[in-house]
């Protein structure tokens, strides 16, 4: 199967975690099953080489990445760490392995022994696009000479961290590259931790984050860019099917600039506020609730 950008990023994170954080008993497992002679190691192997990672994938799945060990190891490194993009100085590109190799990597990461990814965490959410297409048609304005299309640079991962009532929540909003019709597929993941995790989070690996989280939710859906340059996101919880809506209040999205947006400020909306008693006729309660629902995502450099 093909993989979307958000799935590839998740695969890269898992490979990076496997390479950097592996105990000696794990190394013994791969050497034993690869019929190699075991070597004496310290109690904790701080990191494998990419050749070690290639070997481990071959042991578990039988898939040999690259024509030989050296080329396969370099292919894995480029996929995860990237290479300098000559056409865009200062930026990197991340060559994707051939489909057979990529499928082998996924089987390795989801293997019960490796256990770095679950199938649910790579599940593709494919919303029906009839509704957003009709909405775009409806929003079209006769006086516009041409339709405002979302630029490709909007694609990327945006993060929001919140700490409330001793619960630390990290949301990642992934915007896919817009289709030719201007539709953007959206995936939002939400990891929750105990409050003290907010002080340690930046030092965690992907594996730490997965093992220490108390809760995990995912929303999927689509987004459109209106003629007024507003980004509307319509999301649905994949487990409970509850809806979630984001409407931009502010952003630094500039169509004439080559720089991608850094911040997207949304109004997060689901249920409207029910006014009772003295609240009727006053805007105080509405303004207070609206302020709580203003959230800001910042772009994450990959």
């Amino acid at each position: 199967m093909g993989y979307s950008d958000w799935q590839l990023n998740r695969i890269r994170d898992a490979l990076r975690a496997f390479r950097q954080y592996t105990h000696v008993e794990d190394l013994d497992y791969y050497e034993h099953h690869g019929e190699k002679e075991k070597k004496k190691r310290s109690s904790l192997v701080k990191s494998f080489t990419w050749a070690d990672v290639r070997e481990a994938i071959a042991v578990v799945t039988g898939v040999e990445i690259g024509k030989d060990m050296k080329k396969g190891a370099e292919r894995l490194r480029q996929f995860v760490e990237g290479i300098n993009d000559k056409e865009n100085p200062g930026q990197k590109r991340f060559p994707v392995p051939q489909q057979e190799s990529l499928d082998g990597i996924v089987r390795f990461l989801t293997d019960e022994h490796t256990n770095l990814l679950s199938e649910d965490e790579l599940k593709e959410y494919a919303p029906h696009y009839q509704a957003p297409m009709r909405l775009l048609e409806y929003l079209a304005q006769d006086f516009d000479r041409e339709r405002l299309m979302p630029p490709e640079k909007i694609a990327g991962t945006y993060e929001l961290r919140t700490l409330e009532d001793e619960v630390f929540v990290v949301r990642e909003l992934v915007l896919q590259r817009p289709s030719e019709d201007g539709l953007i597929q959206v995936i939002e993941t939400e990891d929750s931790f105990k409050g003290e995790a907010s002080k340690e989070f930046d030092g965690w690996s992907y594996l730490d984050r997965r093992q220490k989280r108390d809760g995990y939710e995912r929303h999927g859906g689509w987004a459109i860019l209106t003629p007024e340059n507003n980004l509307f996101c319509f999301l649905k919880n994949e487990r409970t099917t509850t809806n979630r809506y984001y409407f931009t209040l502010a952003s630094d999205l500039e169509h004439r600039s080559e720089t991608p947006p850094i911040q997207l400020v949304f109004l997060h909306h689901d249920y409207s506020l029910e006014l009772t008693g003295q609240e009727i006729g006053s805007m105080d309660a509405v303004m207070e609730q609206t302020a709580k629902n203003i959230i800001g995502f910042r772009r994450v450099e990959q």
Side-chain angles (χ1 to χ4, degrees):
M1 60 172 290
Y3 295 94
S4 301
D5 289 341
W6 71 270
Q7 292 171 307
L8 291 173
N9 287 336
R10 184 150 290 186
I11 292 168
R12 290 186 180 100
D13 287 341
L15 280 175
R16 187 180 294 111
F18 176 79
R19 176 178 177 266
Q20 293 178 345
Y21 302 93
T22 306
H23 291 273
V24 65
E25 56 268 25
D26 296 321
L27 182 60
D28 288 345
Y29 172 87
Y30 293 115
E31 288 181 341
H32 172 73
H33 287 268
E35 298 180 354
K36 283 187 172 183
E37 180 182 356
K38 291 184 180 180
K39 302 176 182 178
K40 292 182 180 180
R41 302 278 181 161
S42 60
S43 59
L44 178 66
V45 178
K46 292 183 178 179
S47 64
F48 278 177
T49 65
W50 285 114
D52 292 328
V53 177
R54 178 189 183 274
E55 177 67 14
I57 294 171
V59 168
V60 173
T61 68
V63 175
E64 298 276 354
I65 298 175
K67 294 182 179 180
D68 53 43
M69 180 68 74
K70 184 177 180 180
K71 291 182 179 178
E74 177 61 13
R75 190 158 297 175
L76 282 171
R77 187 197 69 78
Q78 292 181 2
F79 171 56
V80 176
E81 299 179 357
I83 56 178
N84 293 329
D85 189 343
K86 295 180 180 179
E87 296 182 0
N88 298 286
Q91 299 185 30
K92 288 189 174 183
R93 59 186 183 88
F94 298 83
V96 178
Q98 294 181 354
Q99 192 64 49
E100 181 182 358
S101 296
L102 195 56
D103 290 341
I105 291 171
V106 171
R107 292 205 306 275
F108 168 73
L109 295 173
T110 56
D111 179 79
E112 60 181 6
H113 180 83
T114 312
N115 194 30
L116 280 167
L117 278 178
S118 68
E119 292 183 1
D120 284 344
E121 288 176 305
L122 283 177
K123 180 181 177 183
E124 180 76 74
Y125 184 80
H128 197 282
Y129 286 140
Q130 182 179 9
M133 285 300 299
R134 289 190 175 184
L135 180 57
L136 284 171
E137 291 174 2
Y138 175 77
L139 293 176
Q141 301 173 130
D142 291 340
F143 54 80
D144 287 333
R145 294 184 177 181
E146 59 181 29
R147 184 181 145 202
L148 182 68
M149 298 291 286
E152 285 195 7
K153 64 186 178 183
I154 200 173
T157 301
Y158 301 81
E159 184 183 77
L160 167 65
R161 303 182 185 184
T162 57
L163 178 61
E164 186 175 353
D165 297 329
E166 298 302 318
V167 178
F168 178 54
V169 178
V170 179
R171 297 187 196 176
E172 282 191 353
L173 188 73
V174 179
L175 303 180
Q176 300 281 12
R177 287 187 177 85
S179 69
E180 293 182 358
D181 298 317
L183 301 181
I184 305 171
Q185 186 172 340
V186 184
I187 296 290
E188 182 185 40
T189 57
E190 188 172 311
D191 291 335
S192 57
F193 309 87
K194 292 180 175 58
E196 58 267 23
S198 62
K199 301 176 182 179
E200 308 169 355
F201 185 79
D202 285 328
W204 286 356
S205 67
Y206 172 82
L207 184 58
D208 291 333
R209 174 172 169 172
R210 186 170 181 270
Q211 291 179 336
K212 295 181 180 182
R213 67 190 180 196
D214 294 327
Y216 171 77
E217 295 287 345
R218 189 167 67 162
H219 294 73
W222 43 264
I224 62 170
L225 192 67
T226 74
E228 298 79 20
N229 204 34
N230 293 319
L231 189 67
F232 287 4
C233 301
F234 299 86
L235 302 167
K236 186 177 289 290
N237 187 297
E238 295 184 11
R239 182 177 59 85
T240 65
T241 73
T242 54
N243 297 318
R244 174 175 288 181
Y245 314 105
Y246 292 150
F247 309 124
T248 47
L249 294 176
S251 75
D252 59 333
L253 175 61
E254 173 57 59
H255 288 260
R256 290 171 293 183
S257 171
E258 295 182 359
T259 305
I262 301 300
Q263 186 167 30
L264 299 173
V265 180
F266 291 104
L267 174 64
H268 170 200
H269 189 69
D270 41 31
Y271 295 97
S272 59
L273 182 65
E274 295 184 4
L275 300 176
T276 59
Q278 295 180 346
E279 293 176 341
I280 298 177
S282 172
M283 290 294 292
D284 292 344
V286 177
M287 297 298 290
E288 181 181 354
Q289 184 61 46
T290 299
K292 292 180 180 179
N293 288 349
I294 296 176
I295 58 176
F297 285 87
R298 289 189 65 84
R299 190 179 186 90
V300 178
E301 293 299 330
Q302 296 296 326

